[in-house]
Amino acid sequence: MIDDLDLGFDDQERGEKGRHRRGFVKKRNRRSGGRGKTVLALLLALVLLGGIGGGAFYGFDRIQNYFVTPDYDGTGTGEVMVEIKQGALIADMADALHAAGVVKSPKAFIEAAADNSRSKNIQPGLYKLRKQMSGESAVAAMLDLKNRVVNGLTIPEGRTAKNVYKLLSEKTKIPVKEFETAAKDPIALGVPDWWFKRTDGKKVKPSIEGFLFPDTYEIPPKATAESILKLMVENFLTVTGQMQFADRVQKERGGISPYEALIVASLAQAEAGNKDDLGKVARVAYNRVFGEFPCNCLEMDVTVNYYLELTGQETKASKDMTAADLDNPKNPYNRKLRGLVPTPINNPGKQALEGAMDPPAGKWLFFVAIDKEGHSAFAETYPEHERNMAKAREAGVI
């Protein structure tokens, strides 16, 4: 009979647990919901059990735990370190805190976060907390910057993997060689093997280039080269997953693969002098390789510089590149080779990825920077491009 009674829950509350798993947080009404219903439901249950018989009270604790959110009192004791990962939702944070013994139940933290409008400001990173804290105290502690262990490092957009290793080594004192060794197997670092597919018939040798997502990272204590690179790959997969990058590219970009679009994103990141032009530069790359450009080649000097850096040589400004640099037949990133280059040439940011995924419509084949802010003028024909280059020379850009 008890199962058939309405003990104060509505359909919305019955679904609460499932929504918490997806990071959904519903703010409780302090005056009319939440604990009022809980107390009423508990009293009704006790009355029913009393009518059944005194022996039924052995289940009181179990019933109380069902209706009342398990929670500690106070600010806790001792000390524990908890890592909140990049992209974590409130429910993910709650699970991490519960696993570390900070809160008595994930729900205690979720409900406290729902009652604190500032909880959306909790950042990923490493936190120094106490064990057995109330949900409310845990939220407050994570919003207090003094409890956040700051060991952050910003990886700028468009850096090559070699440059990323150098930045990471300077911060962590882990030798560059260890990052290079860990990066040799990108699939072991978490890149799904389906990423390394092309539709243009060119063979793919898996490379970590392109998958080290540029962002600010909290480097955990005792991190290894492998664990740091895994963290960056995981962030890449999270961001591109939220963008639906792979799905949209396959549906909207005329049959090219997500990996080929990632290559285009890296080209746009390297070539665009201004973020406003990222999508247009991506469109130029698509038009040159897959359109009616005579050689179906990129003819972008940035691919030459990538090869120079990859082989330990000094990179050069376009005006300083020799014919041997530009047209080296041994260079697999030669700007005149048909089709896209073998791999991405850097690690592009979100806006460059968006530009490659959904570039603006246009038949442009040429572009040139025309102001000191890096904005480019785009052209469909070479005579039009020559007029744009004249404007660039007048502005002192080239």
Side-chain angles (χ1 to χ4, degrees):
M1 291 295 293
I2 293 176
D3 289 342
D4 295 329
L5 291 174
D6 183 350
L7 299 181
F9 284 88
D10 55 27
D11 291 338
Q12 190 172 12
E13 289 173 306
R14 290 188 185 101
E16 184 176 334
K17 184 176 179 182
R19 289 197 298 275
H20 286 165
R21 286 178 182 153
R22 296 188 296 272
F24 179 91
V25 179
K26 176 176 171 58
K27 190 171 180 68
R28 292 178 286 130
N29 187 317
R30 291 182 182 274
R31 288 177 292 181
S32 60
R35 300 190 188 281
K37 286 186 178 181
T38 297
V39 172
L40 175 61
L42 184 57
L43 289 174
L44 286 172
L46 290 174
V47 169
L48 286 169
L49 288 172
I52 293 170
F57 277 99
Y58 80 93
F60 173 77
D61 286 341
R62 292 178 64 187
I63 294 174
Q64 185 181 43
N65 286 339
Y66 184 81
F67 289 114
V68 179
T69 299
D71 198 1
Y72 294 121
D73 291 322
T75 58
T77 59
E79 185 178 288
V80 63
M81 304 297 287
V82 181
E83 181 185 1
I84 301 300
K85 293 186 176 181
Q86 202 83 21
L89 303 174
I90 289 294
D92 300 321
M93 298 179 192
D95 288 340
L97 294 171
H98 180 242
V102 175
V103 294
K104 196 168 187 179
S105 67
K107 191 175 178 184
F109 180 80
I110 290 169
E111 290 184 350
D115 285 342
N116 191 324
S117 61
R118 293 181 58 234
S119 63
K120 63 181 180 294
N121 296 325
I122 296 175
Q123 300 295 312
L126 197 65
Y127 289 84
K128 185 185 295 184
L129 302 171
R130 294 174 179 269
K131 289 195 172 185
Q132 299 187 358
M133 303 179 79
S134 69
E136 183 179 0
S137 295
V139 171
M142 295 180 75
L143 289 169
D144 188 340
L145 294 179
K146 73 180 182 183
N147 294 319
R148 187 163 179 243
V149 181
V150 179
N151 190 26
L153 171 64
T154 298
I155 303 297
E157 298 169 343
R159 296 298 179 95
T160 63
K162 284 177 69 73
N163 191 265
V164 170
Y165 305 152
K166 183 180 177 182
L167 293 174
L168 291 171
S169 180
E170 290 171 354
K171 178 69 176 180
T172 64
K173 308 308 177 187
I174 298 172
V176 167
K177 187 68 176 177
E178 292 188 24
F179 288 103
E180 292 174 340
T181 300
K184 287 181 178 179
D185 187 352
I187 293 174
L189 293 175
V191 182
D193 59 1
W194 60 260
W195 265 99
F196 299 108
K197 306 290 184 186
R198 297 179 69 134
T199 59
D200 62 2
K202 291 189 177 183
K203 187 177 179 180
V204 179
K205 181 180 179 181
S207 166
I208 198 63
E209 198 75 76
F211 297 98
L212 302 177
F213 191 75
D215 204 343
T216 297
Y217 292 90
E218 290 293 331
I219 308 298
K222 300 181 181 179
T224 64
E226 183 179 7
S227 69
I228 294 170
L229 297 185
K230 280 184 174 180
L231 179 65
M232 299 180 75
V233 168
E234 182 181 0
N235 196 15
F236 170 88
L237 296 175
T238 297
V239 172
T240 53
Q242 291 169 344
M243 294 169 60
Q244 297 184 306
F245 181 86
D247 290 340
R248 288 193 59 186
V249 165
Q250 291 178 105
K251 290 176 182 177
E252 302 171 17
R253 295 277 63 82
I256 76 163
S257 72
Y259 190 61
E260 290 164 320
L262 179 60
I263 292 172
V264 170
S266 74
L267 295 167
Q269 188 76 75
E271 283 281 6
N274 190 287
K275 290 186 176 182
D276 296 340
D277 293 332
L278 286 166
K280 286 186 174 182
V281 174
R283 174 58 72 186
V284 169
Y286 286 130
N287 289 346
R288 287 185 179 182
V289 172
F290 301 109
E292 298 180 2
F293 202 51
C295 65
N296 287 126
C297 59
L298 286 167
E299 282 204 349
M300 293 181 176
D301 295 347
V302 290
T303 66
V304 175
N305 262 332
Y306 180 69
Y307 177 71
L308 292 175
E309 182 177 348
L310 201 63
T311 53
Q313 303 176 63
E314 288 290 327
T315 58
K316 300 179 179 181
S318 296
K319 63 183 178 62
D320 297 326
M321 288 184 180
T322 66
D325 293 327
L326 292 170
D327 300 314
N328 180 359
K330 295 182 180 179
N331 177 5
Y333 295 84
N334 190 311
R335 66 194 188 116
K336 287 191 177 294
L337 290 179
R338 192 177 188 85
L340 290 172
V341 289
T343 69
I345 63 168
N346 58 46
N347 294 279
K350 186 177 180 180
Q351 286 179 283
L353 290 165
E354 288 172 342
M357 177 181 71
D358 187 23
K363 296 181 180 180
W364 310 295
L365 293 171
F366 309 96
F367 62 96
V368 62
I370 57 170
D371 62 31
K372 298 295 176 64
E373 288 73 41
H375 292 98
S376 292
F378 293 79
E380 295 181 18
T381 67
Y382 195 75
E384 184 184 357
H385 180 53
E386 286 183 315
R387 292 192 291 272
N388 289 335
M389 286 195 292
K391 293 177 184 177
R393 281 190 287 269
E394 288 176 11
V397 177
I398 61 173

